[in-house]
Amino acid sequence: MNKDYNIKIEKEVQKKWEKEKIYEFKEDSEKPPYIIDTPPPYPTGRLHLGHALNWTYMDIIARYKRMKGFNVLFPQGWDCHGLPTEVKVEEIYKITKSDVDRKKFRELCIKLTEENIKKMRDQIKSLGISIDWSREYITMKPDYIKKSQTAFVRMYKDGLIYRGKFPVNWCPRCQTAIAFAEVEYIERETYLNYIKFPSADSDEYLLIATTRPELMAACVAILVNPEDERYKNIVGKEFIVPLFGQKVKVLADELVEKDFGTGAVMVCTFGDKTDVLWVNKYNLPIIKAINERGELTEVAGKYKGLKTEEARKKIIEDLKKEGYLVKQERIKQNVGVCWRCKTPIEIVVTEQWFVNVKKLIPRVKEIADEIRWVPEHMKIRLLNWIENMDWDWVISRQRIFATPIPVWYCQDCGNIVVAKEEDLPIDPTETSYTCDKCGSTNLKPETDVLDTWMDSSITPMVITKWLDDEEFFKKHYPVQLRPQGHDIIRTWAFYTIVKSIALTNKKPWEEIVINGMVFGEDGYKMSKSRGNVVEPDEIINKYGADALRLWASNSVVGDDVQFLWKEVDYGYRFLRKLWNACRFAKLHIKDEDIERLKKKREVNNLVDRWILSKLQRLIDRVDKDLNKYRFNTIVEIYKFVWHEFCDNYIEMVKYRLYGEDEKAKEEAKYTLYYSIDKIIRLLAPFAPHFSDYLADIYKIDNLHFIFPKVDKNLIDETAERYGEIVKNTIISIRKYKANKGLALNAPIKKVEIYTEDEETYKALNQAIEDIKGTLKIEELSVVKGKPSLESKIIEIIPDKSKIGPEFKKNTKAVIEIIKNADEETLNKIINEGLKTEFGVIRKEHIKDIKRALFSKGEEVESVDIEGVLAIAIIY
């Protein structure tokens, strides 16, 4: 073994794994299957630290399950379609989707996606993730598009997908509908504008406060709370909308907040979700004031064509001029923005395709209860999302790079023509079709595409060969695990459950494990604007992938995780510590010894039995923790390896390895080899490169497929208690050596250990040779009882600086009296002063008193033994 641990070994190990294909799922295996429905990331070309955390979690699970005897299917997918790629293509080529031919724009998206997948594939491999790359899926490939379109066709036929003209969330920048789950909320400051609405039949006016005066052209009603005494007399009356002139009626509704603004609100089509609710409830007209580009329409009169922000400024200026604006107040508000480009969304009435999720909600709740959630409280996030769901899932997007909606519209009879399953995959903009109702070929193709979540929500079905191998699908669906972030519970988790119910009426997975987000060292979410982003490549290049994985492991599933360089450094130093321990052991365990040391044997030495018993406890703890996704059990491995095995056991076993007693040496070698074998296996899910490399050196069999089992015969509570006594005794005497400035291997002539505790007495007597050998003690005895110790003065040091000025010519005589004082004389000096012919000698005339312990007439040192009812007397 090299003297130092070198992270460059990781690349060697990765090449070996790829060559040997050890992580491929075996379809003919008799092992129970364990299938992981892994998240398919957007191919941005960059793996961020959140990915590294999530993929490390998944890989620990996959590796642990393989070692526990499962046939693991751990695939990798790529969610190619949608806004992120299109926005990037538009940015790179300085175009918009409408500037080039539809087919050409799609080709540019495919090219970028392929380049980014290659980069991210290499990054995932650099983390040591045990993916079965033969099972990779890519959502833009024809075989995947076929499955997405088949899901659409079947759900349409079952009445779960429909087309209609309804209000939807709309991004003016991306010019597409987006689902509520894709709306993010940011806080911003704005003005609450207090505006006079004149009465239609009197000189009175009604004061209304609004943050969006640009929507006044689409005002269709005014609402007040029926319990609001201020407005009871005006319900049913009409008022005139300033600048725009339409008359609107005052209605009463209990949802109006009496304490916000003036307690009277405009209903505009549409400012927010509540407007939609009120329009439907009171059958109000719909006026479209803002178009798909975020511009005011012709109903806004002279403000037509202005973007919303610009229109707001001009309308406020005109309200001031006309005397309608009473005052403005600065307030903070939460604004819905597009999840991708962060543009504030509008609610626009357009014709879209929807999934009737409301019809499936009762079944979604049942399925959610059938799935095991880790942590359990994450299920509440899904249920809360369901409870607050007012609208169906809008699945059509006004983009190009996505799965085409396989539909045409008959221009002769008005029929919606849906493609036959046998013709899928199909792009209606490139393929003609015949109306199945009237036989016409005069069809208009659907140019909208499917929401990207329509693709990714069938991943558990795709990886179990839905539509490709029905026997395999029936055998393996639902899958065992879905790992994902808590930020996509309301999208990926929810939509997957919806699709699984719609297409199979089954749950998609047995369990779902939720990970948190990564925060920077400053405690804030990582972002370029804050300058707190750390890239996985940066960590890997400096410390290696295993150190990064150890940082990720030391966290709690479901909780957000703070990145700290010092924790990565600790993981790296831990690996170096274990490397050095294994290197030392390898100096004594030759290759020709290994097959012999693999054979089980009886162990008699107390120290060996102590470490072996504690190792069984560790195996049991780590096994149980990993079964419950407690990845921070790595801390238990740290503590055992660093403090018990390296700092204590190896120090206690060295004397035997260098000694002449072949039997004692052989038992020490066996215990070392057994311990290293088990430690490396325990570490393999967390630090697989390091473990694999050492496994080759130590000829450890089937590292990635055998998890260590607890050997109950090696659990020895007495050995553990006695071993702790011996360990603490050795630690205490080693500290004594260090405090004295002695080398740890410096010999000690004689040590007597006294104890009144029966168990301590037995333990120390069983390990006399180990204590002597470890501490280089020539003569050691363990005595039952208390030591007979006497404290004696060995030197009294006079304070010449005080004696000289006071006693002058008698200074020498006074110094001699102090130096030769016995115990009685010394006590008199200290307590009351000693009268002499030269004057009174007091305690301030003494600079220091040195005492020593004596046992049987010999000067000795005493050492309190930590955690043990014993004291060591050192001669």
Side-chain angles (χ1 to χ4, degrees), residues 502-559:
L503 298 166
T504 72
N505 199 30
K506 292 180 180 179
K507 61 185 175 185
W509 348 270
E510 303 291 343
E511 293 182 295
I512 180 168
V513 173
I514 308 292
N515 67 279
M517 311 296 286
V518 177
F519 285 72
E521 288 202 293
D522 58 1
Y524 292 93
K525 187 177 177 181
M526 284 192 175
S527 68
K528 288 181 181 177
S529 61
R530 294 197 67 90
N532 65 350
V533 173
V534 178
E535 302 287 355
D537 286 351
E538 182 184 352
I539 304 167
I540 291 170
N541 292 337
K542 187 174 181 180
Y543 287 106
D546 281 350
L548 170 55
R549 292 169 63 105
L550 291 175
W551 159 77
S553 306
N554 190 14
S555 55
V556 177
V557 170
D559 287 0

Side-chain angles (χ1 to χ4, degrees), residues 242-259:
L243 302 183
F244 298 98
Q246 73 267 35
K247 293 179 181 179
V248 291
K249 188 178 283 190
V250 178
L251 305 172
D253 192 278
E254 62 277 1
L255 289 181
V256 176
E257 296 179 44
K258 292 189 288 184
D259 299 328

Side-chain angles (χ1 to χ4, degrees), residues 127-192:
L127 276 167
I129 309 301
S130 58
I131 297 288
D132 179 353
W133 290 102
S134 69
R135 303 279 176 155
E136 187 179 38
Y137 62 87
I138 300 174
T139 61
M140 67 180 182
K141 296 289 186 182
D143 59 332
Y144 200 103
I145 290 174
K146 175 184 178 179
K147 292 175 182 181
S148 284
Q149 289 184 332
T150 301
F152 175 92
V153 170
R154 291 186 181 181
M155 289 173 70
Y156 177 78
K157 287 179 178 176
D158 290 340
L160 293 172
I161 288 179
Y162 63 93
R163 189 169 187 257
K165 196 169 186 178
F166 298 98
V168 293
N169 294 309
W170 185 272
C171 174
R173 160 64 184 84
C174 301
Q175 291 188 34
T176 184
I178 61 174
F180 258 112
E182 296 168 320
V183 177
E184 294 181 357
Y185 290 89
I186 59 170
E187 187 178 78
R188 72 173 182 184
E189 278 199 347
T190 188
Y191 283 104
L192 186 61

